[in-house]
Amino acid sequence: MTNREEEIIAGRNPVLEALRSGRQLNKIWIAEGMQKASASDIRALAKESGVIVQQVPKKKLDLLTDLTHQGIAASVAAYDYAELDDLFRRAEERGQDPFFLILDELEDPHNLGSILRTADASGVHGIIIPKRRSVGLTGVVAKASTGAIEHVPVVRVGNMARTVDDLKGRGVWIAGTDAKGSADYRNMDAGLPLAVIIGSEGRGMSRLLRDKCDFLYSLPMVGHVNSLNASVAAALLMYEVFRKRETEGGQ
């Protein structure tokens, strides 16, 4: 595990999920005047974990973070990045074929947060992102994920193409989305060990990664726009894999 820094997370659910996951919290701040019942579960878990809870004026929370804090914020060690082996281990422990998501230079933290949320809900074993030209695991991402960041491992790699080659060498099939893809995503074979590539918000999937795909799927559209938001496209693909694996034998 690498790349530890200090982070501020804000909002009731992100702080609650951080506590539940056993994350190392340095301190929790709760706004003065906040109803006790609104933060009773946070106070109880903080007491069990030995985390300091401090009541402060709401103005202090406003200064600590630009995020919508709902009267609650916490200081935590930054998020650890997983290793590729952790993702395979996670799939093995669940008795499932690997299902990973590869995000090709996503830059919007809200998109990454939303993808993490859906990945947690649909059983994705982990997400792979590049070190450069990509948003990392920040407080904004944590907030947008509503706590899912605590439950979905994220691997950050220096060379995406080499990582894809590594996955293929370990028996994982690579699927990408492309408007010119000949196969409808609803016809994908979801029972394979699978990694799905989602392209960046503006440029889409890079040519190098597209050429490494075993399958290219299109998302049929009948409207006037010719592309979907990255997190929406990712959600459609994740749930298609989830649906088919559930239907075809509890994968």
Side-chain angles (χ1 to χ4, degrees):
M1 301 296 183
T2 57
N3 304 315
R4 299 188 71 92
E5 298 171 1
E6 199 75 357
E7 282 280 359
I8 299 294
I9 57 174
R12 185 180 182 282
N13 282 336
V15 173
L16 188 58
E17 287 301 322
L19 282 165
R20 285 174 174 165
S21 71
R23 184 89 181 282
Q24 181 186 336
L25 274 69
N26 301 320
K27 183 183 286 188
I28 296 172
W29 296 281
I30 297 178
E32 292 173 349
M34 189 172 181
Q35 291 185 349
K36 287 189 176 181
S38 300
S40 59
D41 44 2
I42 288 177
R43 290 180 184 276
L45 284 171
K47 186 175 181 180
E48 287 178 18
S49 305
V51 179
I52 296 170
V53 177
Q54 185 178 358
Q55 282 197 297
V56 296
K58 178 180 174 294
K59 284 185 178 180
K60 175 163 183 175
L61 294 178
D62 294 338
L63 291 171
L64 279 170
T65 177
D66 293 329
L67 300 170
T68 303
H69 52 67
Q70 301 170 306
I72 300 172
S75 166
V76 298
Y79 295 91
D80 282 330
Y81 290 94
E83 301 292 338
L84 204 55
D85 286 342
D86 297 327
L87 274 56
F88 281 95
R89 191 176 304 112
R90 187 179 177 90
E92 184 178 358
E93 287 170 353
R94 294 182 181 178
Q96 299 170 339
D97 284 321
F99 176 31
F100 309 144
L101 211 59
I102 299 172
L103 306 182
D104 185 16
E105 298 184 5
L106 255 66
E107 297 176 350
D108 186 336
H110 296 96
N111 273 340
L112 179 53
S114 179
I115 287 170
L116 280 162
R117 189 174 182 178
T118 309
D120 179 52
S122 59
V124 172
H125 300 118
I127 292 174
I128 300 166
I129 63 174
K131 288 182 178 178
R132 295 184 180 181
R133 297 185 294 277
S134 172
V135 64
L137 298 182
T138 66
V140 176
V141 171
K143 176 72 174 176
S145 80
T146 63
I149 196 171
E150 305 290 347
H151 306 290
V152 180
V154 176
V155 178
R156 191 161 63 164
V157 300
N159 189 311
M160 291 286 274
R162 190 177 303 150
T163 299
V164 168
D165 288 339
D166 185 9
L167 290 172
K168 295 177 81 163
R170 296 171 73 166
V172 177
W173 296 78
I174 310 298
T177 56
D178 190 294
K180 298 177 182 177
S182 58
D184 188 312
Y185 83 101
R186 292 168 292 188
N187 296 324
M188 74 162 61
D189 186 347
L192 300 168
L194 193 63
V196 175
I197 301 175
I198 301 296
S200 68
E201 295 91 352
R203 298 177 299 278
M205 186 169 45
S206 70
R207 174 81 178 269
L208 182 59
L209 292 187
R210 183 184 292 110
D211 289 346
K212 291 182 178 293
C213 287
D214 299 300
F215 312 104
L216 285 174
Y217 294 109
S218 62
L219 300 170
M221 286 174 276
V222 297
H224 299 289
V225 297
N226 60 5
S227 64
L228 294 173
N229 175 277
S231 65
V232 174
L236 287 169
L237 291 160
M238 284 186 274
Y239 262 96
E240 186 64 14
V241 174
F242 174 71
R243 181 185 70 80
K244 286 190 170 177
R245 288 190 173 193
E246 287 286 294
T247 302
E248 296 170 5
Q251 277 284 322

